[in-house]
Structures are given as structure tokens and as C-alpha cells.
């Protein structure tokens, strides 16, 4: 039977939810609808939350689970649809479990993210002053949303140059830093992926003899509340919260998910010029930070699977690099996240 939305929400007409498939993980559009799949070993129920343009939320329970992959297929759901998850399960920080269905969660496999964090109490899974408590304030209004993207793209005859490292001249660059003040790039394009693919930048790289451009972090990252409070922002991007999602801050597109098409077009154009693209990726931690950080994605999905916890007190996170947490690459699904991206 099709799964109906929870009684706390309304929708007209009722959207059907079919069983779908456990793989691939994430949201996958096939031309007729979208398959949603999320890993959580501790979940007791997983709700897919769809958001209209005005922010109205409709929840659907994912009807199937295979090997701890919760999944469902929604016909007619198309690219541009904003979504998130709510995971029902144990909340016991002492045991490493931090599920809280009042927290909207980003899909770790989201290929695009729309919006920014509004840093308020609702983003945190605990009440300030009591880290072991559970904060039941709903966070949806303060959260960015994952976005279903169009996987179809005309790559033409694109092939990576695949030049040997011994023959490579790699140029490390920041998308905004390289293009924001370049006089030959149109104002509306500066600081974006499109600007990196502009002839002025390509000509400059080729004149230097560059064979590969290494982009500093372009994966979707969070600006910490401490920076926001000071009127600052994270320039370098080493605070990832979406390993599969090109950050919309570097996109000239105003359409949710449009950054993905723009990013692919940049790569195609650079390849046509004989220039490889290398990405600087930060896999050792995420923007959720330590035990006092927000619950915005993996922490609320399956905390102990995704993060390395202190053995004798699972309230706390192993922190090998001074960044708040460390990914638990000893868990196969955490390692898979890295391998897949």
C-alpha cells in the first residue's frame, strides 16, 4: 500500500511512496521520479521531508529497509525538490546515540544543498547548559535543505586528460580568490565556477604551462556561528557538511541544484582545454563539531557509525586534528561515504 504522510501534515493529492531500491544512496532521479535511500543502523523509523517553495513541509515514512538502508521511491518528484530527513531512534548520549526526530537532517549523499544555517538553539540536539538533555525544538526553519538534482548532463566527448603526475604542473587556486577581481571576467560571473571556465582564466593557466588546477574546498561547507556573530565568514571552506555537493556560494545560478550543472560545465570546459581538475577534500571531520556542536546531518542519522567516539565515554568525540570530531572510517558505511565521493 502507498505510504501516506504523517497526520501532522497535509498534502493534496496524496503522494505515493513505492518500495524503491536500497542503492544508490542519496536521492536519485530517473526521469519518472526519485529514489531516496539513507543508511542508519540505529533508526527505528525514517521520515523523508519534502519542502515546497514557501517552506511547507510534508513528511513520508520510508517504507522499506534492507541492510540498514531505508528507502522509498516517489513518482513525480523532480529535480529542484528540496528535502531532508527526520530519524526516529534512541537518544542516549552516554551510549553514543543522538537521534532526535525534531531535527531536520541533511542527506550525507546530497548532491546539492540550498540555503544557509540560521544559528539558533533549534539546531542543537541538547538544551544549552545540559549537554545530556534532548532539545525538542524543531529545526526545519533554521536548516538548509538537500536538493534533488538532474543527473543528466551532456558531457559530449569529454575525457579526463589523465596526464602522468611526473608530467603535471598543478596550480592550486580558490574559486573566488582567483576570479573575484579579474578585470576581464563579467561582474555577475566573478567568484563562481563559471568564472574558472572563462577564457581569460584558461588562457592565463595555459600561458603558465598549467596542466591541472587543484581547487581548494568547493564541497558545501558551514559558516560557524562564531564567525557569523562577528560579521565574518569562512573563506577557505575547511568545514564540510556535504561531501557530494558543490557549494552554491560559488555558483552564478539562482536555481536550487543549478550549481551542479554549472560545476560540470566548468569541468568539461577545462578538460577541453587539456586541464585536469583536482579537488581538495576534507574527510577527517565535518562541520557538526564536538559534543557541543549542532545536529544537522550524520550526528542525528547514526552518530556512532559516522563518528569515532571515545571508548569509555561515548558522549565525547575522538578529535585527532583539533577540529571537533573525526570520521569513523573503521565503519564500512562511513568508509563507503568517502569511497563513493
Amino acid at each position: 500500500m502507498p505510504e501516506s504522510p504523517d497526520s501532522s501534515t497535509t498534502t493534496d493529492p496524496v503522494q505515493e511512496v513505492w518500495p524503491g531500491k536500497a542503492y544508490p544512496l542519496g536521492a536519485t532521479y530517473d526521469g519518472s521520479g526519485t529514489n531516496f535511500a539513507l543508511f542508519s543502523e540505529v533508526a527505528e523509523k525514517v521520515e523523508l521531508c519534502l519542502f515546497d517553495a514557501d517552506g511547507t513541509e510534508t513528511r513520508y515514512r520510508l517504507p522499506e529497509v534492507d541492510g540498514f538502508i531505508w528507502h522509498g521511491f516517489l513518482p513525480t518528484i523532480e529535480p529542484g525538490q528540496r528535502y531532508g530527513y527526520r530519524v526516529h531512534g534512541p537518544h542516549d548520549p552516554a551510549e553514543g546515540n543522538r537521534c532526535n526526530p525534531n531535527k531536520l537532517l541533511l542527506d550525507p549523499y546530497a548532491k546539492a544543498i540550498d540555503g544557509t544555517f540560521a544559528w539558533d538553539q533549534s539546531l542543537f540536539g541538547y538544551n544549552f547548559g545540559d549537554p545530556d538533555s534532548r532539545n525538542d525544538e524543531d529545526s526545519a526553519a533554521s536548516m538548509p535543505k538537500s536538493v534533488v538534482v538532474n543527473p543528466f548532463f551532456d558531457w559530449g566527448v569529454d575525457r579526463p586528460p589523465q596526464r602522468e603526475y611526473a608530467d603535471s604542473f598543478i596550480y592550486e587556486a580558490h574559486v573566488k580568490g582567483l576570479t573575484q577581481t579579474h578585470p576581464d571576467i563579467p561582474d555577475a560571473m566573478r567568484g563562481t565556477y563559471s568564472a574558472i571556465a572563462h577564457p581569460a582564466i584558461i588562457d592565463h593557466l595555459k600561458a603558465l604551462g598549467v596542466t591541472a588546477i587543484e581547487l581548494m574546498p568547493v564541497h558545501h561547507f558551514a559558516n560557524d556561528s562564531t564567525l557569523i556573530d562577528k560579521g565574518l565568514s569562512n573563506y577557505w571552506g575547511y568545514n564540510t557538511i556535504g561531501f557530494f555537493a558543490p557549494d552554491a556560494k560559488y555558483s552564478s545560478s539562482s536555481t536550487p541544484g543549478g550549481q551542479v550543472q554549472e560545476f560540470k560545465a566548468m569541468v568539461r570546459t577545462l578538460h577541453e582545454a587539456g586541464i585536469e581538475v583536482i579537488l581538495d577534500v576534507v574527510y577527517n571531520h565535518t562541520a557538526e563539531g564536538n559534543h557541543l556542536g549542532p545536529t544537522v546531518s550524520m550526528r542525528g542519522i547514526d552518530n556512532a557509525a559516522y563518528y569515532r567516539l571515545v571508548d569509555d565515554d561515548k558522549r565525547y568525540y575522538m578529535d585527532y586534528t583539533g577540529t571537533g570530531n573525526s570520521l569513523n572510517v573503521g565503519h564500512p558505511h562511513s568508509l563507503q561515504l568517502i569511497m563513493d565521493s
Side-chain angles (χ1 to χ4, degrees):
M1 292 292 292
E3 185 73 38
S4 296
D6 281 6
S7 59
S8 59
T9 62
T10 58
T11 183
D12 187 23
V14 172
Q15 168 70 60
E16 293 182 327
V17 180
W18 301 345
K21 299 179 180 179
Y23 290 96
L25 290 165
T28 306
Y29 175 70
D30 67 0
S32 63
T34 302
N35 191 80
F36 295 88
L38 180 77
F39 161 76
S40 177
E41 190 170 349
V42 299
E44 298 164 358
K45 181 174 77 170
V46 173
E47 292 177 301
L48 170 68
C49 308
L50 304 183
F51 291 85
D52 294 341
D54 63 1
T56 299
E57 176 184 357
T58 304
R59 304 179 193 178
Y60 298 91
R61 181 172 179 170
L62 293 183
E64 301 290 331
V65 56
D66 296 306
F68 305 117
I69 307 295
W70 300 76
H71 57 91
F73 181 90
L74 277 71
T76 76
I77 297 300
E78 298 184 341
Q81 173 67 58
R82 300 187 305 150
Y83 72 98
Y85 291 107
R86 296 181 185 272
V87 175
H88 297 251
H91 181 273
D92 185 357
E95 294 299 320
N97 296 316
R98 295 181 179 270
C99 295
N100 186 341
N102 299 293
K103 306 306 168 190
L104 184 75
L105 305 172
L106 292 172
D107 183 355
Y109 278 76
K111 296 180 179 65
I113 296 172
D114 178 56
T116 58
F117 295 99
W119 289 103
D120 57 32
Q121 171 71 58
S122 71
L123 294 182
F124 296 82
Y126 63 94
N127 298 299
F128 290 165
D130 185 3
D132 289 335
S133 64
R134 193 180 98 158
N135 171 21
D136 287 338
E137 184 177 357
D138 194 280
S139 68
S142 300
M143 280 287 295
K145 310 298 187 292
S146 304
V147 181
V148 177
V149 303
N150 185 351
F152 307 110
F153 180 79
D154 183 8
W155 285 101
V157 295
D158 177 78
R159 293 290 186 277
Q162 294 183 327
R163 193 172 282 103
E164 296 293 335
Y165 279 130
D167 301 322
S168 297
F169 176 6
I170 301 173
Y171 185 103
E172 185 178 27
H174 186 281
V175 171
K176 186 174 181 179
L178 181 61
T179 65
Q180 185 63 36
T181 61
H182 199 296
D184 296 332
I185 296 177
D187 290 348
M189 189 185 292
R190 293 180 183 181
T192 70
Y193 305 120
S194 294
I196 293 290
H198 190 276
I201 297 297
I202 290 178
D203 290 346
H204 172 65
L205 295 176
K206 295 185 73 172
L208 293 174
V210 170
T211 64
I213 184 169
E214 179 181 350
L215 296 178
M216 300 183 76
V218 296
H219 305 85
H220 197 96
F221 63 90
N223 281 313
D224 287 330
S225 58
T226 52
L227 293 177
I228 298 298
D229 291 344
K230 296 176 182 178
L232 302 174
S233 63
N234 185 324
Y235 179 76
W236 300 111
Y238 291 98
N239 203 28
T240 308
I241 198 61
F243 291 112
F244 294 84
D247 202 304
K249 289 186 283 292
Y250 301 132
S251 176
S252 59
S253 173
S254 59
T255 302
Q259 64 266 37
V260 177
Q261 296 289 316
E262 183 176 348
F263 186 88
K264 290 179 178 179
M266 173 197 72
V267 172
R268 182 182 60 191
T269 300
L270 288 166
H271 283 177
E272 288 173 353
I275 299 172
E276 292 185 277
V277 181
I278 302 171
L279 301 183
D280 182 351
V281 187
V282 190
Y283 286 126
N284 62 353
H285 72 286
T286 76
E288 289 188 295
N290 63 18
H291 66 289
L292 299 178
T295 297
V296 296
S297 185
M298 292 179 277
R299 170 172 286 146
I301 295 170
D302 195 329
N303 186 53
Y306 281 112
Y307 294 115
R308 178 72 185 274
L309 307 178
V310 176
D311 289 337
D312 57 0
D313 193 341
K314 292 182 169 56
R315 293 178 179 86
Y316 303 108
Y317 296 78
M318 296 298 294
D319 183 6
Y320 297 109
T321 57
T323 50
N325 61 46
S326 299
L327 283 180
N328 182 16
V329 295
H331 191 286
H333 276 285
S334 183
L335 181 60
Q336 179 187 3
L337 178 78
I338 296 173
M339 299 299 292
D340 285 348
S341 58

